[in-house]
Amino acid sequence: MNDSPADTDSNSYRGRFAPSPTGPLHAGSLVAALASFLDARRHHGQWQLRIDDIDPPRAVAGSSDAITKALVAHGLVWSGPVLYQSHSSSHYDSALDRLMSSGWLFRCLCTRAMLDDNGCCGQHCQEKNISAGTPHSLRVKVASERLEGFSDRFLGEQPPLAETAPKDFIVKRRDGLYAYQLAAAIDDAKPSFTHIVRGADLLESTYRQRWLQHLLGLESPSYAHVTILVDEAGNKLSKQTGAPPLDSRQPEHNLRQCLQHLAQPAPSSSARRVPEILDHATEHWCMRR
Ligand code: GLU
């Protein structure tokens, strides 16, 4: 880690775990939950739980409940009330208004088949005068200086996305739903959260979220990405690819597996119960590159 735990406390470290309610917790999401929990605890910080429920068509009934129960069974107990992105629509709308009035947004008519290879608008929609009444998505422009690099606390210096940077990306979908990039950029900004620890599959999203924070005059938190769990075929373990739910009857085993994946020292065999495993893991928490 680049910063020392002694430098931080609960006022200066606010972290979170932010699952989408698209299914029960699986081993891959436990890795992200555990890493963010341990990092917060090691820094004597706060760790909150935010349910990213901005995509109702993908939501699976009962999964928020299943996720919270599984976290508790693994000793990962958050501070304060559970936060829900669905309660933040007014913040997202006012951010969109600001981006629109400062000229950074444009209406786009492209369907998936019309997008270019980077997933950007492929039909020059910015140059068309598309009325608000026509069904459209909203895209944010990415300036020519493109997406800046940043320092990742675990992975080190990340270079600017000069070559591969998209020229625009979606912030509000055609079906009226807010895009993950917009919601995460706003909700993760300081002072709400100071430290984001999450899976490395979101590394590229971080560039986009930092870009939005920059445009909105929000202060970016520090980011740290951990190696994700993959299946035998090398695909990310996810609810979409049918990762099995965690067996909450064996939390000690699950935590030990995650710690091994995160290259943390194994708690001694005398650490039998969840609190002992978490205490050992907190004391020895160290992410190396
Ligand atoms: N809710 C998203 C997910 O589960 C984002 C998580 C994040 O930004 O940490 O993939």
Side-chain angles (χ1 to χ4, degrees):
M1 291 185 290
N2 295 338
D3 54 349
S4 120
D7 294 342
T8 44
D9 59 32
S10 56
N11 293 324
S12 55
Y13 187 118
R14 290 164 65 90
R16 74 357 173 229
F17 173 54
S20 303
T22 49
L25 208 65
H26 55 82
S29 37
L30 184 64
V31 166
L34 180 63
S36 58
F37 173 87
L38 292 176
D39 198 57
R41 207 170 173 218
R42 178 76 180 140
H43 288 84
H44 311 291
Q46 285 190 33
W47 185 70
Q48 289 190 276
L49 175 63
R50 187 183 75 214
I51 302 288
D52 286 358
D53 55 348
I54 46 165
D55 193 349
R58 282 186 56 225
V60 172
S63 48
S64 297
D65 228 32
I67 291 170
T68 51
K69 285 198 177 108
L71 288 172
V72 171
H74 289 81
L76 306 181
V77 178
W78 54 93
S79 348
V82 179
L83 309 169
Y84 292 90
Q85 283 196 318
S86 57
H87 298 175
S88 293
S89 306
S90 60
H91 294 142
Y92 308 150
D93 284 334
S94 67
L96 289 171
D97 286 348
R98 275 160 58 209
L99 291 171
M100 185 59 103
S101 47
S102 53
W104 285 105
L105 291 193
F106 68 95
R107 301 188 180 111
C108 178
L109 299 178
C110 290
T111 58
R112 199 170 291 226
M114 296 167 172
L115 299 175
D116 71 12
D117 293 346
N118 279 332
C120 299
C121 169
Q123 304 288 316
H124 307 286
C125 291
Q126 316 191 29
E127 291 150 29
K128 300 177 188 162
N129 202 2
I130 298 165
S131 77
T134 314
H136 61 269
S137 60
L138 289 176
R139 288 182 169 267
V140 66
K141 302 173 199 169
V142 178
S144 52
E145 67 266 26
R146 305 294 177 96
L147 306 179
E148 277 184 351
F150 63 97
S151 178
D152 185 289
R153 286 178 47 237
F154 297 164
L155 301 177
E157 289 307 313
Q158 300 302 303
L161 276 195
E163 298 303 318
T164 54
K167 62 182 193 305
D168 55 65
F169 59 89
I170 288 211
V171 284
K172 192 171 186 193
R173 292 166 21 180
R174 199 187 175 91
D175 58 10
L177 297 177
Y178 305 103
Y180 158 67
Q181 305 295 357
L182 178 82
I186 294 169
D187 291 340
D188 284 344
K190 283 182 173 176
S192 298
F193 294 106
T194 58
H195 293 71
I196 304 302
V197 176
R198 59 186 179 188
D201 55 314
L202 293 169
L203 189 59
E204 208 171 301
S205 290
T206 300
Y207 287 90
R208 296 171 196 231
Q209 291 164 23
R210 286 172 48 87
W211 174 244
L212 285 171
Q213 287 159 350
H214 166 75
L215 293 181
L216 290 164
L218 299 170
E219 197 181 342
S220 296
S222 104
Y223 288 94
H225 296 86
V226 294
T227 316
I228 56 166
L229 270 182
V230 292
D231 62 19
E232 277 155 24
N235 299 317
K236 179 194 168 194
L237 272 198
S238 74
K239 297 163 213 169
Q240 288 72 38
T241 57
L246 281 170
D247 181 353
S248 286
R249 290 167 306 179
Q250 46 164 11
E252 296 84 2
H253 169 80
N254 298 336
L255 289 172
R256 283 178 180 276
Q257 296 275 99
C258 286
L259 289 170
Q260 190 179 1
H261 171 76
L262 290 164
Q264 300 301 298
S268 68
S269 49
S270 64
R272 294 230 169 88
R273 312 304 305 166
V274 164
E276 293 155 4
I277 293 174
L278 292 177
D279 284 351
H280 181 281
T282 304
E283 198 185 323
H284 295 88
W285 175 245
C286 178
M287 289 303 293
R288 297 177 197 88
R289 281 178 216 160

